[in-house]
Amino acid sequence: MAHRSYRPDGEVRGSHQPAQTLTGTLVFSVCTAVLCSLQFGYGIGVINAPQKVIETHYARVLEVKMPDINVNGTADEPVPSSVTMYWSLSVSIFSLGGMVSSFFVGWIADKLGRIKAMMVVNILAVIGALLMGLAPLGQAHALVIAGRLITGFYCGLASGLVPIYVGEISPTALRGALGTMHQLAIVTGILISQVIGLDFILGSKDLWPVLLGISGIPAIIQTILLFFCPESPRFLYINLGKEEAAKQNLKRLRGEFYDPTKDIEEMKKEKEEAASEKKVSILQLIKSPNYRQPLIVSLVLHISQQFSGINGIFYYSTSIFTKAGISQPVYATIGVGVVNTIFTVVSVFLVERAGRRSLYLVGLAGMCICAIIMTIALALLSQHAWMSYLSMVAIFLFVVFFEVGPGPIPWFIVAELFSQGPRPAAMALSGCCNWTCNFIIGMCFQYIADACGPYVFIIFAVLLFGFTVFTYLKVPETKGKSFEEITAEFRKKKIATRKGLKSTEMEYLGTSTDA
């Protein structure tokens, strides 16, 4: 029997399954891939909840005395400097590991393929989890730091491999929605770590090694499931020249009756263009003027994600909730995590309706306004008690606006701006930029907050305003567009500012300008 699909108005579409159809294999492959992202998010959040318990264990191993806690739940003396140093290193070395390993995303993705690369890097996740889980059996501080470093190596690679794979297997009409699943898995991982890190679950003095050690479970599950996921058709055809294998995987991903001819023709043109020029390395990507405009857009989007102040909001949230009179501020902070997750789900549906550029503008502008409100509320907190509630509202809205745009979009839009040739190098460089900014914020924010007090969010408001202007002027809309259409969008923007220029900087896409 001939396969038929029906539109909502009842009209028969014909015998070929439309490209935008969600198939079981596509959903399974995306969900399997983002298990990396889930572990990434878990690694970000898991270290925070049991901080006091782990510090106490460090002190016991280092043979130093921790200060006594008074009736108000605070210490009268500072934590010993050696404990503070090892704790800070335990937290920040995760970002340092990601910063270093993200440079190798392009190499491992092209060397092994997308599926095998994810399988191999899972070895790092398991090793890191074992080191942290077995920390009480040796020098706990050294084992936790080593485990966090190796987990950071894993997450730096995973944060690049997942968007590449998901972007390459997704049909154009669903590319944004499925790309957002990476961020959804990250915030879900953070939320899970916050919940099971509570002191009556796994955040206790006896179970904190289990809390850190189970971070390797998603990697084991994913390794098994990846055997059932198809390799990226674009990688098979463009990198390996396996046309029949690419067609078979396209049918697996799009449906049995899908005609892959158009996809293969697009890949063929891209492969021919890529063959006519040298392979793009990270150094070539940086030096070549042909890639400059899209590369600047990619890097600024990743910088705006980290320098938006979202980490500062989470840093201040517990103290603000405490001042608001909430007896258990940790639950309010988990509430922020829940909002974070819910609105990431909302963005999955919005990103293909409203578009990337529109959502990014709304997100940045909304966060800018919230940062200003936050500054006013914190500055007047001592004079008006109700300002703490205004701060709480600003926190929740700030998180909402972040997840609408700046949270998910930078991770997958880079894959849309670059074709197969420069894409791995662009993802590696963008990922390294993101991890570097994350490391800078993690190391510097507390010092800046201590120096500026409640006015620290004015800095973020100014940055957010600048990022909003940049997005309005420079970032193209990529929703539902092919490489040729994105090229034309950049060309239009460039001609508007530099009339008479014969060639455009978007030739990098490897597509014909005569389309």
Side-chain angles (χ1 to χ4, degrees):
M1 182 181 291
H3 175 84
R4 293 183 177 183
S5 61
Y6 293 85
R7 288 167 50 178
D9 57 9
E11 181 183 340
V12 179
R13 285 191 175 179
S15 60
H16 292 301
Q17 193 169 2
Q20 66 268 25
T21 298
L22 270 175
T23 63
T25 302
L26 179 60
V27 173
F28 176 81
S29 300
V30 171
C31 290
T32 298
V34 299
L35 284 174
C36 283
S37 314
L38 182 78
Q39 186 158 333
F40 177 17
Y42 189 89
I44 292 172
V46 72
I47 200 72
N48 297 320
Q51 176 179 350
K52 297 301 179 186
V53 173
I54 296 177
E55 283 182 338
T56 301
H57 192 89
Y58 283 4
R60 189 161 60 248
V61 172
L62 295 168
E63 297 181 349
V64 295
K65 187 178 183 301
M66 287 289 284
D68 296 326
I69 304 300
N70 58 35
V71 291
N72 297 320
T74 58
D76 296 321
E77 301 174 7
V79 174
S81 59
S82 59
V83 174
T84 301
M85 181 189 71
Y86 283 118
W87 171 255
S88 299
L89 201 54
S90 300
V91 175
S92 60
I93 205 162
F94 175 80
S95 298
L96 190 62
M99 186 169 61
V100 172
S101 66
S102 58
F103 267 117
F104 299 96
V105 168
W107 176 80
I108 196 170
D110 285 343
K111 187 75 174 176
L112 301 178
R114 287 39 169 163
I115 294 293
K116 287 183 181 177
M118 285 189 281
M119 287 181 173
V120 169
V121 301
N122 279 337
I123 295 172
L124 295 174
V126 174
I127 293 173
L130 285 174
L131 286 172
M132 292 186 289
L134 298 174
L137 301 180
Q139 295 291 310
H141 55 291
L143 289 173
V144 170
I145 290 169
R148 290 280 292 174
L149 176 63
I150 294 173
T151 303
F153 287 149
Y154 161 77
C155 290
L157 292 166
S159 64
L161 289 171
V162 173
I164 289 176
Y165 178 69
V166 172
E168 289 181 356
I169 67 172
S170 301
T172 301
L174 297 172
R175 203 169 51 204
L178 294 178
T180 307
M181 295 297 291
H182 173 61
Q183 178 70 9
L184 176 60
I186 290 175
V187 298
T188 301
I190 294 173
L191 180 60
I192 290 171
S193 70
Q194 288 175 331
V195 173
I196 67 175
L198 293 170
D199 56 4
F200 61 86
I201 302 180
L202 292 181
S204 65
K205 65 177 182 178
D206 295 322
L207 295 177
W208 67 265
V210 178
L211 178 68
L212 300 183
I214 61 174
S215 63
I217 292 177
I220 297 171
I221 296 173
Q222 187 196 47
T223 301
I224 297 170
L225 296 180
L226 282 172
F227 283 102
F228 305 98
C229 295
E231 179 57 271
S232 160
R234 301 189 76 85
F235 173 77
L236 289 173
Y237 184 83
I238 296 173
N239 293 66
L240 302 183
K242 297 181 177 180
E243 183 174 338
E244 285 305 313
K247 286 181 178 179
Q248 290 175 7
N249 281 8
L250 277 168
K251 287 186 176 182
R252 285 181 65 189
L253 289 164
R254 305 287 192 269
E256 181 184 352
F257 298 96
Y258 178 71
D259 184 1
T261 304
K262 185 178 178 182
D263 299 78
I264 294 297
E265 283 299 315
E266 181 191 343
M267 294 180 203
K268 185 178 180 180
K269 279 202 278 185
E270 191 175 328
K271 184 178 181 180
E272 289 172 353
E273 291 292 335
S276 66
E277 60 182 10
K278 293 180 180 179
K279 187 178 179 181
V280 180
S281 66
I282 291 177
L283 195 59
Q284 289 170 330
L285 189 70
I286 295 171
K287 286 185 175 181
S288 175
N290 292 337
Y291 306 121
R292 188 161 298 146
Q293 206 169 349
L295 182 60
I296 290 172
V297 168
S298 301
L299 295 181
V300 171
L301 289 181
H302 275 277
I303 291 170
S304 68
Q305 185 196 67
Q306 289 299 320
F307 284 2
S308 64
I310 188 67
N311 293 322
I313 288 293
F314 278 109
Y315 171 77
Y316 254 89
S317 61
T318 302
S319 63
I320 293 171
F321 292 142
T322 301
K323 291 174 183 176
I326 296 176
S327 58
Q328 294 289 340
V330 65
Y331 294 110
T333 301
I334 290 175
V336 173
V338 172
V339 171
N340 203 14
T341 305
I342 290 172
F343 278 88
T344 305
V345 174
V346 171
S347 71
V348 171
F349 299 98
L350 285 178
V351 74
E352 290 298 353
R353 292 179 178 272
R356 287 73 153 141
R357 183 174 180 271
S358 302
L359 287 178
Y360 214 85
L361 283 169
V362 170
L364 290 174
M367 292 169 75
C368 182
I369 293 170
C370 289
I372 294 171
I373 294 173
M374 179 71 68
T375 302
I376 295 171
L378 289 174
L380 299 178
L381 194 58
S382 59
Q383 301 174 33
H384 305 283
W386 60 269
M387 282 291 177
S388 61
Y389 296 99
L390 182 61
S391 300
M392 290 172 60
V393 172
I395 286 176
F396 280 100
L397 288 178
F398 193 97
V399 171
V400 167
F401 282 117
F402 177 77
E403 291 305 344
V404 162
I409 291 175
W411 290 113
F412 67 83
I413 198 171
V414 179
E416 296 183 329
L417 292 176
F418 289 89
S419 61
Q420 193 79 3
R423 185 181 296 132
M427 291 296 294
L429 198 59
S430 299
C432 181
C433 176
N434 191 288
W435 279 98
T436 303
C437 293
N438 186 304
F439 180 73
I440 292 170
I441 290 292
M443 290 297 291
C444 300
F445 178 79
Q446 189 162 353
Y447 297 105
I448 297 172
D450 291 342
C452 299
Y455 299 101
V456 66
F457 292 104
I458 280 292
I459 298 172
F460 293 120
V462 172
L463 288 171
L464 286 163
F465 179 77
F467 293 138
T468 304
V469 173
F470 176 88
T471 302
Y472 180 79
L473 296 176
K474 296 293 184 181
V475 178
E477 180 54 74
T478 61
K479 182 189 76 169
K481 292 182 179 178
S482 65
F483 290 129
E484 290 91 344
E485 292 169 322
I486 299 171
T487 300
E489 180 73 19
F490 267 96
R491 186 186 303 118
K492 183 174 68 176
K493 286 178 178 291
K494 188 169 182 180
I495 290 175
T497 56
R498 297 174 62 184
K499 286 188 175 182
L501 190 64
K502 295 173 86 176
S503 61
T504 73
E505 291 178 5
M506 278 302 289
E507 297 288 326
Y508 79 99
L509 283 170
T511 56
S512 172
T513 57
D514 299 324

